[in-house]
Amino acid sequence: MEEFPSGLPNLVALEELNFSKCRNLKKLLEGFGSLTCLKKLNMWECEAMEEIPSGLPNLVALEELNFSKCRNLKKMPEGFGSLTCLKKLNMKECEALEEFPSGLPNLVALEELDISKCRNLKKLPEGFGNLICLKKLYMWKCEAMEEFPSGLPNLITLEELFFSQYRNLKKLPEGFENLTGLKKPYVWECEAIEKFPSGLPNLVALEELKFLQCRNLKKFPEGFGSLTCLKKLYMWECEAIEEFPSGLPNLVALEELNFLQCRNLKKLPEGFGSLTYLKKLHMWECEAMEEFLSGLQNLVALEELNFSQCRNLKKLPEGFRSLTCLKKLYINLKKMPKGFGSLTCLKKLNMKECEALEEFPSRLPNLVALEELDISKCRNLKKMPEGFRSLICLKKLYMWECEAMEEFPSGLPNLDISKCRNLKKMPEGFRSLTCLKKLYMQECEAMEEFPSGLPNLVTLEKLYFSQCRNLKKLPEGFGSLTCLKKLYMWECEAMEEFSSGLPNLCRNLKKLPEGFGSLTCLKKLNMWKCEAMEEFPSGLPNLVILEELNFSKCRNLKKMPEGFGSLTCLKKLNMKECEALEEFSNGLPNLVDLEELNFLKCSNLKKLLKGFGSLTCLKEL
């Protein structure tokens, strides 16, 4: 749609109008201002629109106005300030907009203003402080703006203030302490800011404080402990900070504390244990931290604890066993802390890159609620503990790059053993994993055969064993995996034949088994680089819902099967570098849904069929 219907201005009782994503709409009609009952106007992503109609200021009942992602909109109309009932104004990603009209301060009912990603907007008009009802102000990535609007401290009802990437902004405005209703200030990538505003401790209503990637921010102001309503404190990548604020233990309502990648932070403050409501503590990559203080055991409400890659952290304090509410633990230590086995509520344990760890603690099987375990890149871990099968709630196990692991635990549910390069076989009892839905075995290079019990995994939906280069064959009975939806086995270079169950790809594979056409739910078939294959499987035309077919680099494939035209749902056909192919199937013109066709470097292909012009949906050739 390029223009509005001519009769639109006659709809004088209209209250809501939505023309979102009318990307070719260039302008609104003359007479648009007659819609005096209109309350909501949504023009989101009308990318061709360059100007708002002059009649907009007549819409005096308007309460919500959304022009976000109108990327060519350059200016707002004169008289804009007459919209005194306007409560929400969204101009996000109006990238061509350079200035607001002078009437903006007249919008005294305005409660929400979003000018995020208005990259050319240099300043807000004088009198901005008149917006005394404003509760939410979003100013993400206004990269051309060098200073805050001077009236910001007058916005005493402001509750949420989000701004980012003011890279030249060195300080927040004077009078910041006047924003006594402020609950959520988010400051992101303001890299020149060196200190908090001195009035920060006056913001007693503050509930969330986030200063992300403010890399030159060095210290907290005195009196920080007065923020007794604060529930969330996030200080990601504030790399210059060396110590916590002294008043931190006074923040007794604090529930989430996140100091990710504060690399110079050396220790937690005295009295840290008074944060008894704390539920989430994330200290990932605080590389200078050497020890926790003794108060950790008092954090009895703690549910998530992350101090992975704190490389100088030598040990945890005594009393770890008291964290009985802990559900998620991310840890890198040479040995597990005392009391580890008492964490009976733990659901997720991430020990990724515990490279010095050689064995699990014997009490791991006590974690009866554990659902997810990640021991990837524990390169010296040789075996799992006795009693591992007691983890009856375990749903996900990640063990990739456990290079020293020589044997595998039995009694497991869902499983990822990718890059276990020395693992030669699966254990007895593998057949008992009858609830297994996903099995990942990529790059298990020493494995020569599948476990005989694989066909018992009747609920298996996804099977990945790509780059198992020594795997020679699939087990008998493979066809019993009737729930299997995805099978990936590329670069299984030693495989010479399929069992009678199911096909995929490998360089030495010459043909697919009889009965291939019974896979009537198959939507994607990828046989890339099956270089030994000389002909398509005879049952291919039965795969009537097939949408994607890739036989690229099947260099010995000579012809396409009869009945190929029955694949009427096919959208993508890739036959690139099928060098022996001499002609297409007669049925090609029947593939009326085909959108992509690739037969580059089919050097022996002599001609295309008559009727090729019927492929009217084709987008890429």
Side-chain angles (χ1 to χ4, degrees), residues 173-180 196-204 221-222 226-227:
E174 296 297 324
F176 192 76
E177 65 273 12
N178 295 339
L179 304 179
T180 54
F196 280 96
S198 58
L200 183 69
N202 297 335
L203 307 183
V204 293
E222 295 298 322
S226 64
L227 304 178

Side-chain angles (χ1 to χ4, degrees), residues 6-163:
S6 58
L8 184 70
N10 298 332
L11 307 180
V12 293
L14 197 65
E15 293 186 356
E16 295 188 19
L17 178 59
N18 190 334
F19 273 82
S20 300
K21 293 192 175 182
C22 294
R23 293 186 172 96
N24 292 315
L25 188 64
K26 295 180 179 179
K27 63 179 181 178
L28 300 180
L29 287 172
E30 295 300 321
F32 183 75
S34 64
L35 303 178
T36 54
C37 292
L38 198 64
K39 293 183 179 181
K40 295 181 181 181
L41 175 58
N42 194 334
M43 304 292 294
W44 176 65
E45 230 175 294
C46 295
E47 297 180 343
M49 186 173 292
E50 295 184 1
E51 61 183 46
I52 296 178
S54 57
L56 181 71
N58 297 336
L59 309 183
V60 291
L62 203 62
E63 296 179 358
E64 297 184 18
L65 178 58
N66 187 341
F67 278 88
S68 59
K69 296 190 179 182
C70 294
R71 294 188 169 94
N72 287 309
L73 188 63
K74 295 179 180 179
K75 63 179 182 177
M76 307 288 283
E78 294 300 321
F80 184 73
S82 65
L83 303 179
T84 54
C85 292
L86 198 64
K87 294 182 179 180
K88 295 182 181 180
L89 175 59
N90 190 337
M91 305 294 294
K92 183 179 179 180
E93 292 188 50
C94 293
E95 297 178 348
L97 190 67
E98 294 185 2
E99 61 179 310
F100 266 96
S102 57
L104 179 68
N106 297 336
L107 308 182
V108 291
L110 199 64
E111 296 180 359
E112 295 185 23
L113 174 60
D114 191 344
I115 54 172
S116 300
K117 295 188 179 181
C118 293
R119 300 180 195 276
N120 287 311
L121 187 63
K122 296 178 180 178
K123 64 179 182 177
L124 293 177
E126 296 296 322
F128 182 76
N130 295 341
L131 304 179
I132 55 174
C133 292
L134 198 65
K135 293 181 179 180
K136 298 179 181 180
L137 175 59
Y138 303 103
M139 300 171 61
W140 295 111
K141 296 187 180 182
C142 295
E143 296 172 354
M145 195 174 290
E146 295 185 357
E147 59 183 41
F148 269 94
S150 58
L152 182 70
N154 297 336
L155 309 181
I156 56 175
T157 62
L158 197 65
E159 296 180 359
E160 296 184 15
L161 174 61
F162 295 2
F163 60 96

Side-chain angles (χ1 to χ4, degrees), residues 445-456:
E445 296 178 348
M447 189 173 289
E448 295 184 1
E449 61 183 50
F450 267 97
S452 58
L454 182 69
N456 295 345

Side-chain angles (χ1 to χ4, degrees), residues 233 244 248 254-259 272 278 280-282:
L233 176 58
F244 275 96
L248 182 70
L254 200 64
E255 295 180 0
E256 297 184 19
L257 178 59
N258 193 324
F259 275 79
F272 185 75
L278 198 65
K280 296 181 182 181
L281 174 58
H282 289 257

Side-chain angles (χ1 to χ4, degrees), residues 580-592:
L581 189 68
E582 295 182 359
E583 60 180 302
F584 270 103
S585 161
N586 291 330
L588 182 69
N590 296 338
L591 309 183
V592 292

Side-chain angles (χ1 to χ4, degrees), residues 251-267:
L251 308 183
V252 292
L254 200 64
E255 295 180 0
E256 297 184 19
L257 178 59
N258 193 324
F259 275 79
L260 293 178
Q261 294 182 310
C262 292
R263 294 188 168 93
N264 287 311
L265 192 61
K266 295 180 179 178
K267 63 179 182 178

Side-chain angles (χ1 to χ4, degrees), residues 406-408 422-428 446-449:
E406 296 176 357
E407 60 184 69
F408 209 69
N422 292 315
L423 188 65
K424 294 181 179 179
K425 64 179 182 178
M426 303 293 277
E428 294 300 321
M447 189 173 289
E448 295 184 1
E449 61 183 50

